[in-house]
């Protein structure tokens, strides 16, 4: 279509989006029709409808999409991600179930994940470290930092890891997401203001996903997401659950039955691994709970 150009979605709220063009200019755009599937991180074809506004015409193909799905709705976080950074803290105590769900969703979408344990200068850090030990043991990278206590060390650790990538930050409130954003994105406030100006309002910028550029060349990005209480995995069939859990994977294919649920069957290699201490009891308990949740019929 004449006048079409490719842009990056950096904010979305209902049918209202902020699209960034190749020059870094951010424009308020609407979608055609009442329904839109665009999310932050999407590349879209759009064209201007006036000096300060535009219309999204088409969604470009995605590399991936991170989302959660419960019985009633699907909630997308962001698209075209290179990395997921799950932020937990020594205080408040994090939910292992929520952490595991995020890791499973990312694995199913083919997205690399790192866990960041923040507030390691607090007395509760050792207990949090012990709870994360099974994740380290299964090959999951766990970064231990104090974003406020040792900001220079945190910046020196994170910048090379995130360089030239688009990284989504997930984590419950109180873990230090705002501290992380402000540490790595010096002009974060200015970028939020630019979004608000494009939307002609600040009311869209409080509880939605936000894209931040970490460098002037716009090669490295952090995407901040609002907190959540639940993380449904209805998009994953129960029989596929184990294939998305790193500590289960080495034992799959060695069970006596090819359709083993890894819950009660004789000759199950996963249950044998649990008894041998190769899979932690807490991780297996979460698997069993998830299996029951995903195999039960929806209560529409």
């Amino acid at each position: 279509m004449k006048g079409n150009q490719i842009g990056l979605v950096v904010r979305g709220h209902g049918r209202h989006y902020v699209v960034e063009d190749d020059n870094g200019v951010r424009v308020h755009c609407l979608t055609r029709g009442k329904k839109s599937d665009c999310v932050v991180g999407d590349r879209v074809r759009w064209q201007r409808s006036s000096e300060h506004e535009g219309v999204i015409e088409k969604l470009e193909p995605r590399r991936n999409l991170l989302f959660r799905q419960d019985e009633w709705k699907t909630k997308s976080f962001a698209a075209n991600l290179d990395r997921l950074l799950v932020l937990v803290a020594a205080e408040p105590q994090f939910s292992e179930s929520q952490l595991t769900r995020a890791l499973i969703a990312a694995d199913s979408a083919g997205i690399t994940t790192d866990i960041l344990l923040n507030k390691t200068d607090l007395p509760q850090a050792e207990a949090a470290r012990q709870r994360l030990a099974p994740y380290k043991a299964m090959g999951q990278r766990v970064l231990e930092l104090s974003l406020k206590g040792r900001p220079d060390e945190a910046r020196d650790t994170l910048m090379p890891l995130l360089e030239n990538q688009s990284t989504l930050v997930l984590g419950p409130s109180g873990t230090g997401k705002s501290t992380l954003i402000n540490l790595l994105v010096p002009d974060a406030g200015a970028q939020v203001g630019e979004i608000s100006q494009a939307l002609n309002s600040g009311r869209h910028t409080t509880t939605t996903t936000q894209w931040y550029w970490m460098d002037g060349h716009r090669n490295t990005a952090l995407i901040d997401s609002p907190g959540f209480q639940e993380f449904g995995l209805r998009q994953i069939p129960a029989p596929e659950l184990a294939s998305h859990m790193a500590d289960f994977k080495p034992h799959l294919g060695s069970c006596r039955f090819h359709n083993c649920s890894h819950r009660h069957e004789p000759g199950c290699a996963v249950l044998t691994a649990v008894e041998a201490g190769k899979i932690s009891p807490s991780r297996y308990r979460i698997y069993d709970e998830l299996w029951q949740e995903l195999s039960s019929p929806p209560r529409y």
Side-chain angles (χ1 to χ4, degrees):
M1 301 174 199
K2 189 177 179 181
N4 269 18
Q5 54 181 310
I6 300 290
L8 170 70
V9 176
V10 295
R11 169 70 75 175
H13 184 90
R15 287 180 58 241
H16 297 262
Y17 293 91
V18 177
V19 176
E20 183 178 281
D21 69 11
D22 289 338
N23 298 315
V25 177
R26 293 177 169 181
V27 179
H28 174 214
C29 289
L30 293 171
T31 56
R32 296 201 185 276
K34 293 184 178 179
K35 190 169 180 284
S36 173
D37 296 322
C38 297
V39 300
V40 169
D42 271 330
R43 309 290 293 185
V44 294
R45 289 194 176 274
W46 69 285
Q47 57 182 343
R48 288 188 181 274
S49 55
S50 67
E51 184 181 353
H52 301 294
E53 296 199 334
V55 177
I56 294 174
E57 302 284 358
K58 182 185 176 186
L59 176 64
E60 292 291 285
R62 293 167 172 152
R63 284 191 292 127
N64 55 50
L65 175 68
L66 185 69
F67 65 100
R68 54 191 173 95
Q69 182 177 333
D70 60 24
E71 294 174 320
W72 299 279
K73 64 180 184 298
T74 298
K75 178 66 176 176
S76 297
F77 290 106
N80 301 317
L81 297 169
D82 297 302
R83 185 177 297 276
L84 172 65
L85 190 62
V86 182
L87 192 57
V88 296
E91 178 69 26
Q93 181 171 297
F94 60 90
S95 163
E96 267 196 75
S97 176
Q98 297 289 58
L99 173 60
T100 296
R101 288 163 185 264
L103 295 175
I104 290 170
D107 187 83
S108 69
I111 301 167
T112 300
T113 306
D114 293 311
I115 299 171
L116 195 166
L117 173 61
N118 187 26
K119 307 183 186 180
T120 52
D121 49 338
L122 295 181
Q124 299 93 331
E126 185 54 36
R129 198 173 281 122
Q130 290 301 318
R131 295 180 71 214
L132 289 172
Y135 298 84
K136 274 188 168 182
M138 68 190 196
Q140 171 66 57
R141 178 156 47 189
V142 178
L143 306 166
E144 297 188 8
L145 297 170
S146 175
L147 296 172
K148 275 189 176 176
R150 298 188 300 276
D152 291 341
E153 177 191 328
R155 190 185 294 108
D156 291 345
T157 299
L158 291 169
M159 291 299 276
L161 179 69
L162 307 180
E163 190 175 12
N164 296 323
Q165 296 183 76
S166 299
T167 302
L168 175 71
V169 182
L170 274 187
S173 59
T175 53
K177 281 199 299 177
S178 296
T179 303
L180 175 69
I181 298 296
N182 290 323
L183 179 66
L184 299 182
V185 186
D187 65 339
Q191 293 192 46
V192 170
E194 196 178 353
I195 292 278
S196 299
Q197 191 173 13
L199 286 170
N200 298 315
S201 168
R203 65 190 174 89
H204 298 305
T205 63
T206 52
T207 58
T208 51
T209 305
Q210 168 75 48
W211 180 287
Y212 296 96
W213 287 116
M214 293 170 59
D215 62 325
H217 298 292
R218 295 186 295 129
N219 292 324
T220 305
L222 268 189
I223 302 106
D224 185 19
S225 62
F228 53 87
Q229 299 301 316
E230 300 294 333
F231 198 123
L233 290 173
R234 281 281 176 178
Q235 70 270 29
I236 298 174
E240 294 179 15
L241 188 60
S243 68
H244 295 301
M245 300 180 70
D247 43 353
F248 283 50
K249 287 181 184 181
H251 312 289
L252 302 182
S254 300
C255 299
R256 183 184 303 175
F257 302 105
H258 72 89
N259 60 344
C260 186
S261 71
H262 319 301
R263 297 179 66 228
H264 48 69
E265 294 88 345
C268 172
V270 169
L271 290 173
T272 300
V274 174
E275 291 168 7
K278 295 177 182 177
I279 296 174
S280 77
S282 63
R283 288 275 297 173
Y284 183 79
R285 184 176 63 253
I286 292 169
Y287 168 80
D288 190 52
E289 290 169 356
L290 281 171
W291 174 278
Q292 294 181 63
E293 178 183 315
L294 299 179
S295 57
S296 65
R299 297 167 298 172
Y300 296 123

